[in-house]
Amino acid sequence: MNWEVIIKWLPKLAQGATLTLELVAIAVIAGLLLAIPLGIARSSRLWWVRAFPYGYIFFFRGTPLLVQLFLVYYGLAQFDAIRNSSMWPYLRDPFWCATATMTLHTAAYIAEILRGAIQAIPPGEIEAARALGMSKAKAMIYIMLPRAARIGLPAYSNEVILMLKASALASTVTLLELTGMARTIIARTYLPVEIFFAAGMFYLVMAYVLVRGFKLLERWLRVDACQGR
């Protein structure tokens, strides 16, 4: 193991790791915002309300993220309407293409997590909210969504970790996140073992920090729930 080479290229790998965190942070936060209405609609009893979110979730969960990324990065450029639109400066940028694809992809998984969490809420809690005179909208905002957040948080944390690892696919569209930076360094040094080992350590540290952060959040939510009672 050539430690001198690893130490020499650590700043560049740290730069790639920073871009990875930016990519994942935007994707999982935007994906969560998109998933909330999708998850609520997916849990509806009305088939025509469930139809669109079902199709959306089926497509993005049923196709590989890499294929989706190629469709966005290479496919959208085939349409003149896209190239002439105000969105083209963003859609030709690999960072925003990767961010948009990861957002759409993770939103499908988070929406399904939210659907399961909503349906796992004890019916008595919903009936109690309605008995207090709450409308369906107020019960959803003040009772169901906070309760679903506590139920679905462990699964959501797993999805964030999965997106952290899946972000390595962004290197296939020339984005120099952690994996892309590692591949660039390997092309110069011809030392794949050392560089990929260092990149793997970065991924491990980032995943560990995220896991610990979600554990603390779960503990805080449990304490908050107990104090509320």
Side-chain angles (χ1 to χ4, degrees):
M1 187 70 70
N2 193 333
W3 294 103
E4 293 182 0
V5 172
I6 294 177
I7 294 172
K8 175 185 176 180
W9 291 103
L10 278 180
K12 284 291 185 181
L13 290 172
Q15 181 181 337
T18 301
L19 187 59
T20 293
L21 288 175
E22 292 176 4
L23 179 66
V24 173
I26 295 173
V28 297
I29 293 173
L32 176 61
L33 296 176
L34 178 60
I36 291 174
L38 288 172
I40 293 173
R42 181 75 178 87
S43 61
S44 173
R45 296 179 180 179
L46 304 174
W47 70 267
W48 51 271
V49 175
R50 298 195 308 266
F52 173 76
Y54 175 82
Y56 177 93
I57 293 169
F58 179 79
F59 175 79
F60 281 98
R61 292 179 69 197
T63 55
L65 176 58
L66 183 60
V67 172
Q68 297 164 16
L69 183 59
F70 284 167
L71 285 173
V72 172
Y73 186 69
Y74 296 110
L76 293 181
Q78 308 300 316
F79 300 99
D80 292 333
I82 297 294
R83 293 200 300 271
N84 296 327
S85 70
S86 59
M87 294 299 295
W88 180 239
Y90 299 98
L91 293 176
R92 68 183 180 184
D93 187 320
F95 177 82
W96 291 112
C97 278
T99 301
T101 307
M102 290 174 60
T103 297
L104 295 172
H105 181 85
T106 193
Y109 284 88
I110 298 173
E112 197 65 9
I113 291 170
L114 183 59
R115 178 198 64 79
I118 290 175
Q119 293 180 347
I121 297 174
E125 295 185 15
I126 303 173
E127 292 172 1
R130 298 304 303 276
L132 290 173
M134 285 188 177
S135 64
K136 290 184 178 180
K138 285 187 175 180
M140 176 63 70
I141 295 172
Y142 294 109
I143 303 297
M144 298 175 68
L145 286 180
R147 188 76 168 91
R150 293 187 176 95
I151 295 172
L153 184 60
Y156 176 69
S157 66
N158 287 338
E159 176 61 18
V160 173
I161 299 300
L162 289 173
M163 290 310 298
L164 172 65
K165 294 185 289 184
S167 67
L169 294 175
S171 64
T172 60
V173 292
T174 71
L175 190 63
L176 293 181
E177 42 69 66
L178 182 53
T179 300
M181 185 65 74
R183 292 171 62 181
T184 302
I185 296 171
I186 290 167
R188 298 180 184 179
T189 62
Y190 299 101
L191 295 172
V193 174
E194 287 84 349
I195 302 304
F196 275 136
F197 172 79
M201 292 300 102
F202 271 99
Y203 279 113
L204 280 175
V205 170
M206 290 188 291
Y208 176 78
V209 171
L210 286 173
V211 168
R212 295 303 304 169
F214 277 110
K215 288 290 185 184
L216 291 174
L217 181 58
E218 288 179 35
R219 188 179 307 168
W220 177 79
L221 286 176
R222 285 199 298 269
V223 171
D224 183 61
C226 291
Q227 289 178 346
R229 293 176 184 176

